[in-house]
Amino acid sequence: SPAAELPPPYTAIASPGASSVPVINCRVCQSLINLDGKLHQHVVKCTVCNEATPIKNPPSGKKYVRCQCNCLLICKDTSRKIGCPRPNCRRIITLGPVMLIPEEQPAQPALPVQPDGTRVVCGHCGNTFLWMELRFNTLAKCPHCKKISSVGSALPRRRCCAYITIGMICIFIGVGLTVGTQEFARRFHATYVSWAVAYLLGLICLIRACYWGAIKVSYPEHSFA
């Protein structure tokens, strides 16, 4: 058998514009082959050059061999010689210990590789950045304007309501202490400290409620509901 000219090298890659469809390169012409609905097959045919590329291991006792003419053959794994069936080729391929034509290994389909995370539109500057957390309702720092915002509106809404509730409770407690312990406070001036603590806690909680109520909200891209 004459010396073989091997098919071009190949690599499995992901189509940049694809979203979730697995693709591979054709082992002959390097064109992308869409594997959607074909993953159950052993081999797939390229729509550009019409040559086959394996994507699964061959059946038990078989192996893949590619001829010099790029025809993909399936033969017994014990075969030493096989003939190419193409009328314009008819080569006899010798498969000795050192094969002139190497065995063809299945290509591995690859899903498009995208970084984990969600694209978020900053509530301050309107620029889009990649948020790497697995959950929303948390704080994020925009890499463009360096400002903090909440990813999703649920977190600031919950925090605002919680601080308003706690702040009002503290103020009511302070009012109750002021009304109920006036006579006691005239004799024990330390009672005024309890009034101050209750009012101070209430004021701090209300200030925090204002902060959470006014914080900017950043939303995931294309999800403004």
Side-chain angles (χ1 to χ4, degrees), residues 12-203:
I13 67 170
S15 172
S19 56
S20 61
V21 178
V23 293
I24 60 169
N25 279 115
C26 171
R27 293 201 171 179
V28 177
C29 70
Q30 303 300 299
S31 298
L32 286 177
I33 303 175
N34 188 328
L35 299 183
D36 189 24
K38 301 177 183 177
L39 293 176
H40 63 284
Q41 301 174 194
H42 281 78
V43 299
V44 292
K45 182 172 285 190
C46 176
T47 57
V48 177
C49 66
N50 289 322
E51 297 293 354
T53 294
I55 59 173
K56 282 188 179 182
N57 290 327
S60 179
K62 303 286 186 179
K63 63 184 174 184
Y64 298 117
V65 176
R66 193 176 291 279
C67 178
Q68 289 175 257
C69 69
N70 289 323
C71 179
L72 183 68
L73 309 174
I74 302 178
C75 63
K76 293 181 180 179
D77 55 11
T78 56
S79 297
R80 292 293 173 260
K81 286 188 177 183
I82 58 171
C84 178
R86 285 186 173 169
N88 60 345
C89 180
R90 299 295 187 184
R91 285 184 177 86
I92 302 300
I93 302 171
T94 302
L95 306 176
V98 179
M99 298 201 315
L100 295 176
I101 305 291
E103 293 183 25
E104 184 90 349
Q105 299 300 319
Q108 296 299 317
L111 287 173
V113 178
Q114 295 182 345
D116 293 332
T118 302
R119 298 188 69 80
V120 173
V121 179
C122 177
H124 292 280
C125 63
N127 287 313
T128 302
F129 62 94
L130 190 63
W131 181 236
M132 303 303 293
E133 292 287 337
L134 297 178
R135 59 190 177 88
F136 296 136
N137 304 327
T138 185
L139 296 181
K141 183 177 182 180
C142 175
H144 304 286
C145 64
K146 309 300 182 185
K147 294 181 180 179
I148 301 295
S149 62
S150 171
V151 182
S153 59
L155 177 66
R157 191 164 52 238
R158 289 200 307 265
R159 293 283 177 88
C160 183
C161 292
Y163 277 116
I164 288 176
T165 301
I166 296 172
M168 294 306 295
I169 290 174
C170 290
I171 290 176
F172 287 148
I173 290 175
V175 171
L177 289 174
T178 302
V179 173
T181 61
Q182 286 185 4
E183 293 297 328
F184 186 78
R186 292 193 183 97
R187 287 178 291 158
F188 300 97
H189 298 293
T191 307
Y192 294 122
V193 175
S194 64
W195 299 2
V197 170
Y199 287 126
L200 182 62
L201 288 177
L203 181 61

